[in-house]
Amino acid sequence: MVVLVAAAPARASDILPAPEASYSADTLVRYAGETLEMKTLNRGSWERQEFVLDDQTQVAILRPDRNRAYVMFVESRQLFELPYAEAALLPAFAVLRGLETEKLSDLTIEGEAVGHFQVTRMPEEEAAEEDPVVLDLWITPDGIIMKAEGEILVDGYREPLQLLRKNIRRQELDPDIFEPSLALEP
């Protein structure tokens, strides 16, 4: 006999705030042994990242609504299109909001009121003996991820991630900057 037990509904305080803000920020990322400084522009769930890597100016446009990411190499005028998950550092908000989440505290980071949430992704059935993947997020009430620390899954492997946003400037952003300015090669 199989017995199914319904999980208790999440407390309202444990639900991650939806990404509603339109803003720009300076972002510091430590991932896969590298440190990267970038300019981040967000409009709700759309994100544009501008950075220099290996002396190349790159722009990544992340569009979870299309499940697409566009990566432009400015100097060489190249554009690549990828599935969202292959280019995004963090899973899409819809994915994060579907995981087990617990609000740990309220505090202030860089002058912004944030909730500290712990998001847990349980291993797939075939890897059930593994520990869960845990990511701590510090998020403003309007959905700006100010800080992230922990692990993410990349192609089934755990990778440590640290992200910190500074100099948040809430502002309306032109939707056109979240579209590639180069054309894909035929």
Side-chain angles (χ1 to χ4, degrees), residues 21-149:
S22 182
Y23 67 94
S24 64
D26 298 323
T27 304
L28 178 68
V29 176
R30 288 188 180 94
Y31 169 73
E34 298 290 326
T35 299
L36 183 63
E37 293 181 34
M38 66 177 73
K39 177 75 165 184
T40 303
L41 303 154
N42 273 72
R43 182 182 168 126
S45 66
W46 301 352
E47 185 167 313
R48 178 183 176 107
Q49 304 166 345
E50 301 172 354
F51 54 94
V52 175
L53 185 63
D54 297 329
D55 297 324
Q56 282 281 325
T57 304
Q58 296 181 38
V59 175
I61 297 173
L62 306 173
R63 293 290 304 264
D65 58 319
R66 297 178 184 164
N67 192 28
R68 306 307 303 152
Y70 308 94
V71 179
M72 296 182 290
F73 292 83
V74 176
E75 287 86 2
S76 60
R77 303 204 40 80
Q78 294 177 299
L79 172 66
F80 298 94
E81 184 177 5
L82 306 163
Y84 178 85
E86 289 185 26
L89 290 169
L90 294 169
F93 243 90
V95 171
L96 288 171
R97 291 183 99 193
L99 299 175
E100 181 181 322
T101 304
E102 180 182 3
K103 185 172 185 182
L104 303 176
S105 65
D106 288 309
L107 60 146
T108 303
I109 295 178
E110 295 291 319
E112 295 280 343
V114 296
H116 176 193
F117 295 85
Q118 192 167 73
V119 179
T120 304
R121 178 176 284 189
M122 299 310 288
E124 301 296 327
E125 285 184 29
E126 60 271 7
E129 71 281 351
E130 290 185 26
D131 291 333
V133 177
V134 178
L135 182 66
D136 283 277
L137 300 171
W138 289 262
I139 305 176
T140 65
D142 56 355
I144 299 173
I145 297 176
M146 294 293 296
K147 184 176 174 182
E149 287 183 353

Side-chain angles (χ1 to χ4, degrees), residues 135-184:
L135 182 66
D136 283 277
L137 300 171
W138 289 262
I139 305 176
T140 65
D142 56 355
I144 299 173
I145 297 176
M146 294 293 296
K147 184 176 174 182
E149 287 183 353
E151 292 181 320
I152 57 172
L153 288 176
V154 179
D155 296 328
Y157 296 99
R158 295 167 184 260
E159 290 286 343
L161 172 73
Q162 290 181 313
L163 177 144
L164 179 63
R165 291 212 168 99
K166 296 180 178 184
N167 303 321
I168 301 293
R169 289 171 296 287
R170 286 176 177 78
Q171 59 193 353
E172 284 303 312
L173 296 169
D174 185 344
D176 289 344
I177 67 171
F178 300 96
E179 297 290 345
S181 59
L182 300 172
L184 285 169

